[in-house]
């Protein structure tokens, strides 16, 4: 094959003609040190500002700083953007930027045939090739013939650019570190995006390092100019992706971690409570601790980095007991450690929110990969009959909504609420129509009001919640504890009939919440048909896309996406009965499906995927087709 | 805070029947505790007892204050959360030796190093009472129990040494039936800012009866105990005829008879409760070769609080505005 | 009413005529200090020696030593014995021995009308009456008219007896402590039992306190003689309960805790492994620690009282890693703490046995009461897809069998096995045909043999088990860990396809075990019918009795009792499909029923009971009748 | 045990690529460890590395011995189980400061008090490396991290003080790049019977770079370090011109210049590694006012092992007979 290494001095070409496309999937892949996450975020920003809908998927190596050039040190950032509604980060890549051989070998298989491959040819040296496991230089073989390849000596191009900048005092290493900006510039050009937001961001980021700011901006602009001015290979087109039809409003990008933190803060405000977030670092939940620790500007939020997860959950219980909103967040193994503590919150009927950013398991498993395999743990994973509320967020923006809802339910019903997100949602981002907190209806929780004829386990007739009277409240002295309590008085009771009553009350209180949460809607499609694809959590995107595609083909199927995992929506059983078949794609070995079968006696079938990666749309389509009586 | 009417010790008693074994040392501690609160005029509504699980941990049920009987070993973490939520509360933590030093060791360590402002009462009976008499980490080697029928093997944990090693800022010791001493010690503990750690030797009459008798028995108390007083020479003995000196060669304490070999009171070591090294030496004395130290063993000079004060927050619309601004920080764009 | 306080000097009566009955239920109830547990055990022994089948149910107060005379300080021991097969401790009492007013008030409602009530009238004094909550002396009211009442001044009777013994140096307090032996003597006489075993036992127990032995024996014999010689109330009969038709063999009484410990020891022997039992005390699991700690006579058993439950399970994992059989035991809250550790055992595929003696919850709950509510926790309660084997024992004797089976499956399949017992099984006892360990087939596990082409995650083609090569084994050096491992080599792998493969393998390995365990049998009844009552664990007794009773009435129903909770027996779905209805009585809020519905899409219905007490036979009969189209 | 051929340090390396950040102090410790095993001729088949989770805890993957990479904070308990199962193994436990002193504090405490015979290496980088740089319990107050953007609040835990307070019998300290010293220290630790606790200061070049530079930097090392040697006077300083004396008034150590004011080497304190009080004083020195102590800080005189030796058992028929007899102990009866 004949790879054309572009010369920066190539001739100016004819004005760009941009091919208009509906959507595109781009992935930046490089060494951990290559700054791919920054590159991706900046491309995302420019794309969002250009009015596209989008979904991103950052994927980091498990190692902190893996040796340069290794396959396990590759870091990637993927973005799917378009003028239509975007629901996933995309199955197949339209453009792959590979900054070294390791990035190429680990990512190439996701590039669609005839997709555009941009490689930094300068990194394809013997040492790097060997580290990546290449025997020969792939750029010199014809395995890449199925793609459109743009192999550029980005090192040389960057160096040339920066050398042209006057008066900066930088090392060659510093120059080479700007390669990512050069590549970003080129891709920005490719899609007709503006470099201005990135330029501005670089100015702020390197405010104290003026020279570094200058050379990064120079590289960025050079990459862009390279696209603009150089005659690229005949088969490399420039594209135009028109803005999406989004609802009017103010938008921003939001990650799931941000969505949850801001939702918790908003929930605490609506409940008129200070919030104490108690956590022990663990991937991918740590981000929430970082974000909340950073919210120091008077939000009434305190963070407590506990000595372990047991201390985290029990400190959250102590905080709620003390009249604040106690929140704890972790991931699978950490949630496992909280199990006993959560039982105390159920027994004493104190409100806490437990956020689980799920990851691959069992045990340490795949800490940096996504999975949604903690549903069993959330619903069933405690000793004894120990019911609580389980909610799941379906997207970064939905994280905000569900976090507010978690606070509402916890404080209204005096119960722990487990909110499930996952590694994918936590880190990926999407444009988000920013809500107006000022316009939201408060659901004030009072912790210093003593009801008439107070008893610690007296109950609200509607909610079955007991009163929340924090120590320090005049006239409210009482004692609570984990031993079974006498109905109403809360005194220790070993009475058999009382234990039955209390067990029933605990179960009924949670079950009743089904009347206070929305009925299950049909996310996409009609209320009856040949097939319902039922999902929860971050499978929202791929299921939605698959159902849209198949409906476009004329199939009678629907997408039903569940946010209320426990209690399940009150109409769900009846709704599911309207479909000839029910398929449940899950990034686990079939957990929601167990719940649906047990609850509704519906022969729901599982489509499990446990690879640490989100579903591809096609995987769901293929499985659905089998139910729809077709082989694809 | 509201004005608290004068309350008598009994006013701090609840209507719940006390359910310890007759003769248990816990009764005496309960009595002392009620007296402490009465003496200092504690507001029951601002007072909270938080406990783990064990016989000792039933304590909150018997105090007419706020109370939380939690789970085994976690009271320190729970109390930390409660204190963060409401720094004004006067929190008392009650925990057994198993609760504190077996399952709860890690939380105790971190409570002490964080120096959360509360009083920690460790009821040390050197046994697991509630679960019917297994060896505890403080049980002496060779203790025969259902789980150690040939005698316990492990070297015991030492509450005071552990607290010092964990960075405690206040360490004291007393025992169940030493009423005035116990009351005074608990008052000192309550006054101290930061975590005040008090080891209370407690007689489990059922599973480890009289294990401390060689120190607490009236007949031997004089020689087996030394009552510490800051700034006062370390005198002990039934007739106040003995004292402690420091032996530089071995870096250890030594008991001497006053008068003998010309040793006078002025030659004795003077108790300095701010000296951690001295605290380590005194804390280690077990009542045999050297008398057991009772009272305030260590009280660190005021240490800076690093944790910022409880965060203030605006309410209602002001908070909504704050949040709305926060959500709009960074890059946003408008879709028309 | 007219209560006749017997005078010890009453006349000698005519020779006893004993009424022959098939079975009887006796409960001894008294203050914690009254020695009711000893009394009950001795009566049990005499009854067993007399050849009856029997089941016992000891029930202790939660307090160590509650104040004398309080209701919460009442300790009881119940025994059901008979010439027929005995399956439960009995719903209703035929004989109640109440040593004080508190014992009377808390136990009377279980005495059947016309049942025999033996009370120590000397304890019915003002103080005691008040503590028990009586306003007036019930012995002087006619509320007791529905029973046959034998009110005796046992204090006086005992004192009189002992004073007659020559030369003993005892205090009055010591004399009064022998009241329980006096009462035991009377009840032994009532059922025509021999005092010899108890006499012998007293001699051994008080070998070093000769006088105490003497007065206890005197009291025992006096109680017996009192029955023999005194003309009791006209309505007090003596009974004869003929021996049961038990299979031939050597028998003993066994409690569930003993059954498990001896089963574990036998399992370790059959596997040819030393065993290390790692545990942290918790009611009702502590007994196992005590029993095993006492087995010092060369059984190769070491016990390790850990600092907490996390240390206990992880030390067990460390022990198994080191080539011993690591076992850990606890109860609900403690098992909750072990959750994360168990995940490591699943991930590293190391064999451990986890015994859960279930108790009432949630949280601290009812530590001294029974419940079987940790099935969810056992099957589902871990983060991620984390399958393991769950077994349940149905009776004290079955504990032995299941413990052996737990060791067999753990070591053969290199998996954690969770064995469920409960507070009822752990403490109650039954006669047990002692097995012959010498005749059992070994299932030797080798930890120091390195297979050809060794790799730590290579697998046996049949069992899918990986080899167990303990450190110290020549030629077997390797490393394992909790991060996902590459198929075969076990090296750390983040590869998506590998994670899918390993997840599938873990699930398949456990699922396959269904082919290595017995098919589900029909415990009682035919393989098809109107109703199957499905149970697990300690509901064995009451379900069995209820089904027998209803079958005797001509109903077409069967009892199906499941020991293999996960994987479920391979034929279970097909079997259950043969019944028109399936009812699942459980001492929880409906946990097995969830599993059955989800697995088999069978509309199994739950009969929950969560009162800390075992089912009464009648409760199950009543519920079954509804299904059988009758109201009882 | 089989005869072990002579192995070079590299023979203890596995085929797994080492995955720490370039420049991480862990590399140096790995190198030292391989040298230790080579020097002492350790049999790889009898050697086990057990670790928790963290950067440090990846260690076992890189040692061609048996190895177990477990879960966060529990390595001490797991190793205890392994040692009980096979007392002949030479067990090395590798754990970070978070793994050891945050989540794992309780297990560390109990390991030390039980004195299980293994070597515990605490890699203290005063930060959570693996989870990307949050404050650890050993982080200095004010450490700015993602979880403490305004600086960490809590007073740090002190590894040596904690170990002493927990009853450790052997405590030593070294640092990553002090190769010969680290090798020698680990050898001493391996020789000691009971739990040998070694704190190794380790540079996390990414999240807490050079945090120990004020002690370990070659330029300051002379004055900022003191190398302990049992029985030798406590001399330090670039030119060996300083020493430590004990100030009886304050019960504390003091640095003096040799020669100045007539102080000679004979006036200096002599290191006695069996003295726990001295260990406490030396262990607390942080390299600023007083030099940081490196080497064996404490080595308790041989302590009796209470736990009985690994129980022996008969096999096969003999064991079956034993069990059959046991099942028949107490009352049994026959049904014909
Ligand atoms: C998680 C858990 N593990 C174990 C227990 C059982 N347990 C209750 S109290 C206790 C120890 C009691 O000893 P200690 O703390 O010394 O208190 P004491 O009863 O002696 O006052 C134990 C092991 C429990 N309740 N929860
Ligand atoms: C139960 C659990 N909680 C939290 C984590 C996340 N985690 C992994 S390592 C670590 C701390 C690492 O710090 P340290 O022990 O000091 O080791 P280092 O990486 O600095 O060597 C944490 C919090 C986990 N893996 N498991
Ligand atoms: S068991 Fe011991 S500690 Fe517990 S109540 Fe009884 S005497 Fe007190
Ligand atoms: S993060 Fe720090 S401790 Fe971890 S490997 Fe990198 S440099 Fe080493
Ligand atoms: Mg105790
Ligand atoms: Mg660290």
């Amino acid at each position: 094959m004949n790879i054309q290494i572009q010369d920066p001095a190539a001739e100016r070409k004819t004005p760009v003609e941009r091919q208009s496309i509906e959507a595109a999937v781009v992935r930046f892949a490089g060494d951990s040190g290559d700054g791919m996450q920054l590159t991706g975020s900046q491309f995302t920003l420019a794309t969002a500002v250009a009015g596209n809908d989008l979904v991103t998927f950052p994927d980091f190596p498990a190692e902190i700083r893996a040796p340069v050039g290794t396959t396990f040190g590759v870091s990637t950032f993927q973005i799917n953007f378009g003028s239509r509604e975007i629901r996933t980060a995309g199955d197949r890549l339209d453009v792959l930027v590979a900054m070294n051989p390791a990035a190429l070998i680990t990512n190439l298989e996701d590039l669609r045939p005839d997709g555009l491959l941009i490689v930094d040819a300068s990194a394809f040296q013997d040492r790097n090739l060997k580290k990546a496991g290449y025997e020969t230089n792939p750029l010199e073989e014809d395995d890449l013939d199925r793609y459109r390849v743009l192999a550029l000596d980005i090192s040389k191009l960057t160096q040339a650019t920066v050398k042209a900048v006057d008066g900066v005092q930088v090392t060659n290493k510093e120059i080479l570190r700007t390669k990512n900006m050069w590549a970003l510039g080129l891709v920005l050009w490719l899609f007709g995006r503006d470099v201005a937001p990135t330029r501005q961001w670089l100015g702020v980021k390197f405010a104290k390092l003026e020279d570094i700011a200058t050379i990064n901006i120079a590289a960025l602009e050079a990459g862009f100019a390279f696209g603009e001015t150089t005659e690229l290979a005949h088969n490399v087109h420039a594209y135009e992706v028109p803005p999406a039809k989004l609802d009017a409003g103010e938008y921003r990008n939001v990650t799931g971690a941000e969505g949850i933190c801001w939702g918790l803060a908003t929930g605490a405000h609506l409940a008129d409570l200070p919030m104490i977030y108690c956590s022990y670092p663990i991937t991918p939940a740590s981000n929430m601790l970082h974000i909340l620790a950073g919210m120091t500007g008077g939000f009434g939020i305190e963070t407590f980095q506990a000595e372990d997860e047991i201390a985290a959950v029990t400190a959250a219980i102590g905080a709620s007991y003390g009249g604040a909103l106690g929140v704890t967040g972790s991931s699978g193994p950490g949630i496992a450690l909280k199990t006993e503590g959560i039982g105390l919150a159920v027994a004493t009927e104190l409100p806490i929110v437990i956020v689980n950013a799920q990851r691959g398991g069992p045990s340490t498993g795949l800490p940096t990969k996504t999975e949604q395999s903690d549903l069993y743990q959330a619903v069933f994973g405690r000793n004894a009959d120990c019911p609580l509320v389980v909610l799941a967020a379906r997207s970064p923006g939905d994280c905000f909504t569900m976090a507010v809802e978690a606070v509402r339910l916890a404080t209204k019903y005096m119960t722990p609420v487990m909110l499930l997100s996952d590694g994918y949602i936590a880190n990926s981002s999407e444009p988000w129509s920013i809500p107006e907190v000022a316009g939201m209806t408060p659901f004030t929780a009072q912790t210093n009001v003593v009801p008439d004829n107070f008893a610690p386990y007296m109950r609200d007739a509607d909610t079955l919640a007991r009163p929340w009277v924090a120590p320090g409240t005049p006239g409210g002295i009482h004692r609570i504890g984990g031993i079974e309590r006498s109905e109403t008085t809360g005194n220790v009771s070993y009475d058999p009939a009382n234990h039955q009553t209390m067990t029933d009350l605990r179960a009924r209180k949670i079950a009743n919440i089904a009347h206070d949460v929305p009925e299950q809607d049909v996310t996409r499609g009609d209320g009856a048909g040949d097939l319902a694809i039922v999902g929860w959590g971050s499978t929202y995107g791929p299921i939605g896309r698959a159902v849209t595609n198949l409906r476009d083909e004329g199939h009678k199927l629907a997408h039903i996406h569940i946010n209320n995992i426990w209690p399940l929506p009150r109409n769900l059983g009846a709704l599911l009965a309207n479909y000839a078949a029910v398929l449940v794609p899950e990034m686990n070995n079939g957990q929601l499906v167990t719940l649906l079968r047990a609850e509704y006696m519906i022969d729901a079938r599982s489509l499990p995927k446990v690879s640490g990666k989100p579903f591809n749309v096609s995987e769901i389509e293929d499985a659905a087709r089998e139910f729809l009586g077709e082989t694809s | 805070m509201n004005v608290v009417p004068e309350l008598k010790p009994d006013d701090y008693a609840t209507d719940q029947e006390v359910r310890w074994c007759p003769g248990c040392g816990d009764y005496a501690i309960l009595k002392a505790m009620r007296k402490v609160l009465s003496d200092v005029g504690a507001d029951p509504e601002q007072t909270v007892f938080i406990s783990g699980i064990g016989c000792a941990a039933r304590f909150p049920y018997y105090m007419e204050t706020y109370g939380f009987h939690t789970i085994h070993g976690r009271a320190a973490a729970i109390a930390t959360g409660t204190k963060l939520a409401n720094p004004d509360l006067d929190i008392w933590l009650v925990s057994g030796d198993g609760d504190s030093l077996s399952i709860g060791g890690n939380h105790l360590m971190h409570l002490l190093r964080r120096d959360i402002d509360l009083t920690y009462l460790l009821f040390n009976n050197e046994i697991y009472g509630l679960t019917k008499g297994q060896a505890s980490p403080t049980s002496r080697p060779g203790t025969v129990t259902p789980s150690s029928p040939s005698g316990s093997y492990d070297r015991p944990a030492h509450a005071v040494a552990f607290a010092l090693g964990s960075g405690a800022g206040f360490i004291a010791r007393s025992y169940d039936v030493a009423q005035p001493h116990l009351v005074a010690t608990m008052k000192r503990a309550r006054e101290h800012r930061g975590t005040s750690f008090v080891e209370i030797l407690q007689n489990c009459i059922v599973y480890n009866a009289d294990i401390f008798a060689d120190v607490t028995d009236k007949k031997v108390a004089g020689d087996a105990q030394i009552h510490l007083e800051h700034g006062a020479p370390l005198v002990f003995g039934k007739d106040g005829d003995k004292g402690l000196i420091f032996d530089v060669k071995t870096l250890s304490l030594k008991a001497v008879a006053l008068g003998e070999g010309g040793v006078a009171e002025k030659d004795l070591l003077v108790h300095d409760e701010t000296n951690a090294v001295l605290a380590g030496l005194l804390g280690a004395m077990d009542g045999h070769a050297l008398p057991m130290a009772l009272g305030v063993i260590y009280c660190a000079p005021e240490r800076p609080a690093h944790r910022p004060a409880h965060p203030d927050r605006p309410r209602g619309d002001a908070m909504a505005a704050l949040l709305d601004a926060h959500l709009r920080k960074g890059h946003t764009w408008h879709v028309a």
Side-chain angles (χ1 to χ4, degrees), chain A residues 45 48-49 51-52 54 197 200-201 244-253 262 265-266 268-269 272-276 278 291 294-295 297-308 310-312 314-324 340-341 344 348 350 400 431-432 434-439 450 469-483 490-492 494, chain B residues 1-2 12-16 19 43-51 53 58-87 89 91 103-111 113-114 116 130 307-336:
Chain A
L45 186 64
V49 170
N52 289 138
L54 64 88
Q200 188 192 334
W201 173 83
K245 278 165 285 301
L246 296 173
D247 292 338
E250 188 173 2
Y251 279 76
R252 68 171 299 146
N253 273 322
W262 300 341
T266 302
H269 150 66
D272 194 20
L273 293 171
M275 165 173 145
I276 303 183
C278 309
I291 292 168
M295 287 181 72
F299 300 96
I301 296 172
E302 196 161 358
T303 54
F304 172 62
Q305 182 178 320
E307 57 270 28
D308 62 18
I310 298 175
T314 50
I317 292 171
S320 283
Y321 172 66
E340 194 210 2
L344 178 66
T348 52
L350 283 168
F400 179 89
W432 180 52
I434 310 174
E436 199 79 51
V437 176
V450 178
V469 176
T473 304
I477 282 180
H478 68 279
R479 288 144 298 272
I480 58 173
I483 298 184
N491 290 332
V492 167
Y494 297 99
Chain B
M1 251 184 265
N2 45 343
Y12 292 93
T14 62
D15 60 355
Q16 296 293 293
R19 295 193 176 186
D43 179 352
E45 289 171 346
Q46 292 291 332
T47 306
V48 192
F49 282 82
I50 298 181
S51 66
I53 296 284
R58 287 186 155 260
F59 210 88
Y61 291 123
Y62 310 137
M63 293 300 305
E64 186 59 18
T65 63
Y66 281 94
F68 195 176
H69 181 223
T70 70
I71 47 177
H72 195 37
R74 318 301 172 188
I78 289 172
T80 298
T82 304
K83 190 75 189 184
L84 291 180
N86 185 351
L89 295 174
I91 298 186
I103 190 168
N106 205 32
H107 308 303
L108 174 55
M109 165 197 175
H110 287 276
L111 177 77
R113 98 178 162 84
R114 292 192 186 108
I116 302 287
L130 190 74
R307 178 166 278 271
H310 198 52
D312 252 351
R313 63 188 167 110
R315 313 281 280 264
D317 292 350
M319 176 66 99
L322 210 61
L323 285 166
D324 272 326
H326 191 75
L327 298 187
R328 284 156 185 81
K329 250 176 153 175
H331 266 280
T332 70
W333 64 94
H334 286 268
V335 171

Side-chain angles (χ1 to χ4, degrees), chain B residues 20-21 24 26 55 125 129 202 204-207:
Chain B
W20 289 306
C21 305
C24 175
D26 290 345
C55 294
N125 55 14
Q202 175 245 327
C204 170
I205 199 168
V206 175
Y207 296 114

Side-chain angles (χ1 to χ4, degrees), chain A residues 406-485:
Chain A
V407 178
R408 183 182 77 86
L409 294 177
T411 54
K412 179 167 176 186
Y413 293 93
M414 295 293 281
T415 176
V417 174
M418 175 97 69
L419 172 56
L420 301 174
S421 90
D422 64 34
Y424 176 68
I425 292 187
N427 290 319
S428 67
S429 68
E430 63 177 11
W432 180 52
S433 169
I434 310 174
E436 199 79 51
V437 176
M440 296 182 184
T441 316
F443 42 79
T444 309
Q446 287 182 314
T447 64
N448 55 358
V449 172
V450 178
D452 288 345
N453 304 314
F454 171 68
Y457 279 80
M458 67 193 290
R459 287 177 196 279
D460 181 280
D462 283 343
T463 61
L464 298 180
R466 71 177 193 89
W468 187 4
V469 176
T473 304
I477 282 180
H478 68 279
R479 288 144 298 272
I480 58 173
I483 298 184
E484 186 61 284
R485 296 136 302 277

Side-chain angles (χ1 to χ4, degrees), chain A residues 29-46:
Chain A
D31 206 62
S32 318
D34 284 342
M36 292 296 97
Q37 300 303 326
L38 289 184
T39 310
S41 318
Q42 288 305 310
F43 185 74
T44 302
L45 186 64

Side-chain angles (χ1 to χ4, degrees), chain A residues 222-404:
Chain A
F224 192 93
F226 182 86
E228 190 74 23
T229 58
T230 311
E231 198 71 58
L232 297 174
H234 66 285
N235 55 0
V236 178
H237 329 287
Y239 300 98
E240 197 204 331
V241 183
K245 278 165 285 301
L246 296 173
D247 292 338
E250 188 173 2
Y251 279 76
R252 68 171 299 146
N253 273 322
V254 68
T255 65
E258 288 167 339
I260 284 184
C261 293
W262 300 341
L264 289 170
T266 302
H269 150 66
L270 294 174
D272 194 20
L273 293 171
M275 165 173 145
I276 303 183
Y277 184 80
C278 309
S279 187
Y280 185 71
I282 187 168
T283 306
S286 307
N287 274 353
M288 295 184 288
L289 175 61
H290 304 169
I291 292 168
L292 289 167
M295 287 181 72
T296 48
F299 300 96
I301 296 172
E302 196 161 358
T303 54
F304 172 62
Q305 182 178 320
E307 57 270 28
D308 62 18
E309 285 86 353
I310 298 175
V313 70
T314 50
I317 292 171
S320 283
Y321 172 66
L325 174 69
V327 181
T328 188
S330 191
S331 186
I335 299 289
L337 286 167
K338 296 180 199 285
T339 306
E340 194 210 2
I342 295 171
L344 178 66
V346 169
T348 52
E349 303 185 42
L350 283 168
I352 56 168
V353 176
I354 308 134
V355 185
N356 182 351
Q358 299 164 94
R359 69 186 210 184
S363 196
T364 307
L366 295 176
T368 54
K369 304 296 170 196
T370 198
E371 209 162 283
Q372 48 177 183
S373 53
D374 296 347
L375 183 143
Y376 280 162
Q377 174 174 250
V379 178
F380 297 119
R382 285 164 297 283
N383 57 301
D385 296 299
C386 193
L388 46 68
V389 176
V390 182
L391 304 176
R394 55 176 68 172
S395 68
D398 193 44
C399 281
F400 179 89
T401 315
M402 284 296 108
V404 172

